[in-house]
Amino acid sequence: MARQAADHLIEYWETRILSHADAEEEGFYQEMVEKKPELQEAVVKLTRDHDLLRIIVKELKAMIREEGLTPEVLQQFHALLVVNAIHSREEERLLFEQPS
C-alpha cells in the first residue's frame, strides 16, 4: 500500500506541480519578462527551481524502481516539499513585491 501511495504522489507531482511549472515557463514567466525585462534574472532563478523539482522527481522514480521504498525515498519527497515551498515564497517576492 505504501508503494501505491508513493506512485500516486509522484503522479501528483508530475501532473499538477510540474505541469503547472511547464505552463508558467511557457507563458506566465515570458509575459512577465516582456512587461518588465528586469525580471529576467528572477525568472531564470525560478526556472532553476522547477528544474530541481524535475530532477528530484526523476531520481525518486528511479530510486523506487531500483530500491523500493527506503528512508532515502521519504527524504526526497520531503525535499520536494521544501524546494516547492521556497520556490513559492521566492516567486511571490521576486515577481510581485514592489522594491523598496
Side-chain angles (χ1 to χ4, degrees), residues 30-47:
Q30 291 177 3
E31 291 172 19
M32 292 296 286
V33 170
E34 287 172 12
K35 290 177 187 175
K36 294 182 176 182
E38 65 272 16
L39 292 177
Q40 180 63 44
E41 184 179 341
V43 166
V44 168
K45 291 176 183 179
L46 295 169
T47 300

Side-chain angles (χ1 to χ4, degrees), residues 1-20 53-66 68-70 72-74 76-78 80-81:
M1 196 172 337
R3 171 65 188 260
Q4 186 179 16
D7 291 341
H8 285 298
L9 278 172
I10 288 172
E11 180 183 0
Y12 175 83
W13 278 91
E14 291 177 325
T15 62
R16 300 292 197 282
I17 307 300
L18 295 180
S19 65
H20 175 78
L53 293 172
R54 290 180 188 104
I55 290 166
I56 295 168
V57 167
K58 182 179 178 183
E59 289 179 0
L60 251 173
K61 289 170 74 171
M63 289 171 72
I64 292 170
R65 184 177 56 252
E66 295 166 12
L69 294 177
T70 64
E72 290 77 19
V73 167
L74 295 177
Q76 292 299 87
F77 275 119
H78 188 255
L80 284 172
L81 294 173

Side-chain angles (χ1 to χ4, degrees), residues 75-88:
Q75 289 174 344
Q76 292 299 87
F77 275 119
H78 188 255
L80 284 172
L81 294 173
V82 171
V83 172
N84 198 52
I86 293 168
H87 169 79
S88 296

